[in-house]
Amino acid sequence: SNEDEDKDKFSLDLLDTLNTLDKITICAPDLNKTIKILRESENWIISEPFKWQAIKLKISNFRTQLAHLSYNKLYNIKELEKRGEILRDYGIKDMSDKIVIQNNKNKITIVLGKESRDTRYLYSFIKSEITNEEHIYKVDIKVKELVEIAAEDWALQRFVNQPLYSIDKISVTFKTD
């Protein structure tokens, strides 16, 4: 059916974008939080809220979790207007949490709305730039956990990235105003 083709199209877009991922942006306006993580050749670097090396395993887990969530397409945005509904009816607004993933060909934005009645899903607005598709989905509630990861949890916890015995001398300078 046409719906199955659409679902497969989004799944393929999502997997393709995740496989060649270059950038992750996570925004949680209520928590006043934005995290940006960029790929720099083989490494992942947190560029916001601080600049630091990211944990590759954390990126890998994020990709896997995002790929394996269930996405149930409900309506195209145009259908929404015909139904006399707006995004706010689904809890989707400017200040909603969102996840943006991009590679060199595509950018997928997932804006999280309110919980479904059965509390197993979040209504979400999803836009894929490559297809210019905009739909309301019911996304597995676990997507919320991806937004809730603290910036520090993405970061490599090592301060000095080499064995201590290889350091001959170290100096620390404190800047004052």
Side-chain angles (χ1 to χ4, degrees):
S1 81
N2 207 9
E3 198 174 298
D4 288 340
E5 284 174 30
D6 282 355
K7 188 177 179 184
D8 291 342
K9 177 120 188 61
F10 172 70
S11 296
L12 291 172
D13 273 358
L14 181 66
L15 292 177
D16 182 52
T17 305
L18 286 170
N19 282 336
T20 54
L21 195 60
D22 290 321
K23 184 176 180 184
I24 299 167
T25 306
I26 298 170
C27 299
D30 288 347
L31 301 173
N32 203 10
K33 176 177 98 172
T34 298
I35 299 172
K36 286 186 181 160
I37 305 169
L38 313 168
R39 183 210 301 269
E40 289 183 4
S41 63
E42 289 304 302
N43 291 317
W44 285 91
I45 305 297
I46 299 165
S47 65
E48 203 178 308
F50 48 78
K51 196 164 172 56
W52 201 259
Q53 194 170 344
I55 304 167
K56 284 183 186 173
L57 183 61
K58 205 63 161 168
I59 305 292
S60 179
N61 289 345
F62 172 86
R63 288 158 99 156
T64 303
Q65 285 176 294
L66 204 54
H68 288 92
L69 292 172
S70 66
Y71 297 87
N72 302 319
K73 187 187 287 187
L74 298 177
Y75 316 109
N76 184 306
I77 290 305
K78 293 173 188 82
E79 290 173 55
L80 207 61
E81 291 166 14
K82 287 179 194 153
R83 294 169 55 94
E85 294 179 325
I86 57 172
L87 287 173
R88 276 191 173 277
D89 296 336
Y90 294 89
I92 299 160
K93 47 196 188 305
D94 290 344
M95 295 296 285
S96 292
D97 291 350
K98 80 175 161 197
I99 296 171
V100 182
I101 56 169
Q102 54 195 114
N103 64 7
N104 62 0
K105 298 194 302 277
N106 196 15
K107 176 178 172 182
I108 295 176
T109 304
I110 303 169
V111 184
L112 307 181
K114 64 183 177 189
E115 280 184 16
S116 59
R117 274 195 210 101
D118 63 10
T119 69
R120 291 183 18 233
Y121 299 95
L122 283 183
Y123 291 108
S124 301
F125 167 80
I126 299 180
K127 179 180 183 173
S128 179
E129 302 262 324
I130 206 165
T131 57
N132 212 13
E133 296 275 310
E134 298 180 320
H135 288 89
I136 297 286
Y137 281 79
K138 271 177 32 177
V139 180
D140 191 316
I141 192 109
K142 289 193 179 98
V143 71
K144 219 173 176 166
E145 295 169 11
L146 298 176
V147 174
E148 291 167 353
I149 301 170
E152 304 76 59
D153 292 337
W154 289 100
L156 211 52
Q157 296 297 316
R158 275 195 306 246
F159 186 65
V160 178
N161 213 1
Q162 58 186 9
L164 283 175
Y165 62 81
S166 71
I167 299 171
D168 295 328
K169 183 180 171 189
I170 197 165
S171 65
V172 180
T173 309
F174 295 99
K175 291 183 180 162
T176 55
D177 290 339

